[in-house]
Amino acid sequence: MNGQQSARSPKRQALKGAGVIGAAAILLVGGSIAGRQALSDRPDRPVTAVQPGQDPSLEALADAAVSGGPGKDGIPSVDKPRFVPATEAGFLADNEPVFGLEYGGEVRAYPQLVLVWHEIVNDTVGGEPLAVTYCPLTGTVIGFSAPPGMQELTFGTTGRLVNSNLLMYDRQTGSEWPQLLGTAVSGPLKGTRLDTVPLVWTTWKQWRAAHPDTKVLSTDTGTLRGYGSDPYGSYDRYPDRGGYYADQGTLFPVLATSDRFRDKDIVIGVRVGDKRLAIHEDLVRTAGTVRAEIAGTQLEARWDDRLDTARVLQRAGDRWEAADFLDSMWFAWYAFHPNTQVRQ
């Protein structure tokens, strides 16, 4: 399969390589997600207790890892990504979600329909190694690079989850990293935090209009997968969602819960030093600009009408620069950061 395949039909393709997801992660019936009851099933393993109002320790997070179904590298990373120009991305419908990246003078789009089957792309952008990661269960997309002075790292999937979030490992040291946290919870690099690069959720039509010169991650990954089908549900009418993405149940245990928002509501999570802030996406969409301050740093979440997404900037002297932010389902952000501040 290559990057020039025709646009997919409205009917879902039969799942290929269904073992990649695993019955423990999603119960499939006839190639589709089972009902609400199946989505509420959870493993029996108890979860390590977390002190109220305190973020879980690295040890608690490491101890809370559970199997997601597939084994190590059962969800294969894309290690030799191939890109095509926008004019050759016929496999993408206008309303398909893509994760947009502007970095190192390059502009790239990573289609959700590809990353849902791989979760990690070990890429090189602007001459620098960059891991683009996506966890379907928590709706989090984050670019990672090694901090200055550290060896280059490439990542794979462990087949396990922490707070229902992808648990990665690096192939150089074997250390393990929850994707949403971006900090190693075990191994030789325990306590090390990766540098992050924001990506934005948008649709292919909107990204292509804003960046006609974009490169697009191709479906020519070297792995046979059901690109165009999504074992978790549907983002077909973005931002409308179906299946797991819309259901309010979680598949796996989490260390902390909050009913402040619905589980799958999208919040913009912001990190400044050791402080955390969550801003409900709907607030930014409605207000246009939302201002906040954490750790003495002024923040502005600004709605980008052109891409129908939010961006967060932080004040640095007399200028604004990109903050460390990401979109996340509320349950996942809170499970990692129960001490988060909330702007709503």
Side-chain angles (χ1 to χ4, degrees), residues 2-229:
N2 60 45
Q4 301 182 45
Q5 70 184 85
S6 60
R8 60 179 179 153
S9 68
K11 293 185 178 179
R12 293 289 179 184
Q13 301 177 28
L15 291 179
K16 301 174 184 177
V20 169
I21 300 300
I26 297 289
L27 300 180
L28 297 171
V29 178
S32 63
I33 296 183
R36 181 180 298 269
Q37 182 175 2
L39 286 172
S40 67
D41 291 343
R42 299 168 183 248
D44 293 330
R45 176 177 170 174
V47 174
T48 304
V50 174
Q51 295 298 317
Q54 294 184 11
D55 291 351
S57 66
L58 299 182
E59 293 76 16
L61 291 168
D63 186 58
V66 298
S67 172
K72 187 176 183 179
D73 292 320
I75 298 176
S77 61
V78 178
D79 296 328
K80 296 181 179 179
R82 297 176 176 86
F83 292 84
V84 296
T87 54
E88 296 179 18
F91 60 95
L92 283 175
D94 282 349
N95 61 355
E96 289 286 355
V98 298
F99 311 132
L101 174 71
E102 299 173 77
Y103 185 74
E106 298 194 31
V107 179
R108 298 191 179 185
Y110 299 83
Q112 189 266 354
L113 66 81
V114 177
L115 265 70
V116 72
W117 292 99
H118 296 280
E119 302 190 359
I120 298 172
V121 179
N122 289 300
D123 203 353
T124 301
V125 185
E128 298 180 19
L130 186 71
V132 173
T133 68
Y134 169 56
C135 179
L137 291 172
T138 55
T140 44
V141 184
I142 313 171
F144 289 115
S145 61
M150 180 180 291
Q151 67 187 113
E152 175 184 336
L153 299 176
T154 55
F155 296 89
T157 60
T158 64
R160 293 180 294 139
L161 304 162
V162 176
N163 285 332
S164 209
N165 179 243
L166 161 67
L167 182 63
M168 314 181 298
Y169 77 96
D170 72 75
R171 296 188 175 121
Q172 286 66 38
T173 74
S175 301
E176 296 184 338
W177 315 72
Q179 181 239 18
L180 195 152
L181 192 69
T183 299
V185 297
S186 65
L189 297 180
K190 179 181 176 181
T192 300
R193 182 176 172 186
L194 297 169
D195 288 343
T196 59
V197 176
L199 289 96
V200 296
W201 279 78
T202 186
T203 64
W204 172 231
K205 180 180 180 179
Q206 290 165 318
W207 185 257
R208 185 182 68 239
H211 301 286
D213 59 342
T214 187
K215 296 180 180 178
V216 185
L217 178 67
S218 169
T219 55
D220 184 11
T221 63
T223 306
L224 181 63
R225 290 293 180 267
Y227 302 119
S229 63

Side-chain angles (χ1 to χ4, degrees), residues 16 33 96 122 135 143 145 238 250 253 272 280 283 295 313 323 341:
K16 301 174 184 177
I33 296 183
E96 289 286 355
N122 289 300
C135 179
S145 61
Y238 180 83
T250 56
V272 178
H280 200 291
L283 177 63
L313 304 176
Q341 299 177 48

